[in-house]
Amino acid sequence: MRYLRVSPQKARLVLELIKGRKVEEARNTLLFTKKRVAAHVGKLLQSALDNANFLSAEKNLDVELDNLYVKSAIANDGPRMKRIRPAPQGRAFRYQRRISHITLVLAERGNGGAGASRPTGAAAGAAAPVKRRAPVAKKAAGAGKKKKATAK
């Protein structure tokens, strides 16, 4: 979910409650959380669950909906809106309204209950392979410099 009008710090408070929990347990936790952002995170969790249901029904991928859990839940900073508040004696105080981007990833627990076999949800296909460069050899500190001869 992008451009949510809540500060990332407040969103992280709710996201910490559901990390690592099964989807049904996370939904119940969000229903009884008295934070405004909990409703938005609940919608995002339902959307990720519907995406997993779509994968299992339409794309014929083997996703067991009962074994899904919240693999990661991240709240990142979005752009900030600069605002001005009137201050005494004709001055103005500046403040910033923070916006957050929330990413929720669901994964399926294996039969042992420990490992995740396939992530599904908001950022399932977002991870691209990382290309690394070969290390570059550095020159020694004084190897390329010539000393000047000084005459006295």
Side-chain angles (χ1 to χ4, degrees):
M1 182 175 289
R2 295 175 54 88
Y3 302 105
L4 185 63
R5 288 274 308 264
V6 68
S7 73
Q9 183 179 5
K10 291 178 182 179
R12 285 184 197 114
L13 291 174
V14 174
L15 293 177
E16 289 295 323
L17 295 174
I18 64 169
K19 277 186 190 176
R21 293 186 180 218
K22 293 183 79 169
V23 172
E24 195 61 38
E25 189 178 341
R27 288 177 68 191
N28 290 336
T29 301
L30 290 172
L31 283 175
F32 293 106
T33 302
K34 292 184 178 182
K35 296 280 186 183
R36 182 176 65 94
V37 71
H40 296 291
V41 175
K43 284 182 184 180
L44 184 63
L45 182 63
Q46 183 61 43
S47 174
L49 190 61
D50 291 341
N51 289 342
N53 191 15
F54 176 77
L55 285 176
S56 66
E58 300 294 327
K59 299 290 183 176
N60 294 328
L61 293 176
D62 188 26
V63 178
E64 185 65 36
L65 297 178
D66 294 333
N67 292 336
L68 289 178
Y69 74 103
V70 180
K71 183 177 180 181
S72 70
I74 303 167
N76 291 326
D77 284 337
R80 295 180 180 181
M81 297 186 295
K82 277 79 173 179
R83 297 291 181 256
I84 296 175
R85 172 177 294 144
Q89 299 178 359
R91 292 176 294 158
F93 292 152
R94 296 188 68 192
Y95 67 97
Q96 295 177 351
R97 300 290 305 261
R98 287 172 169 76
I99 296 175
S100 61
H101 300 314
I102 298 177
T103 304
L104 199 65
V105 178
L106 301 182
E108 187 177 359
R109 287 198 197 272
N111 291 336
S117 61
R118 180 183 298 117
T120 60
V130 178
K131 295 181 181 178
R132 300 195 179 203
R133 295 183 181 182
V136 178
K138 294 184 180 179
K139 294 181 180 178
K145 296 181 181 178
K146 293 184 180 178
K147 294 184 180 179
K148 290 185 179 180
T150 54
K152 287 191 180 182

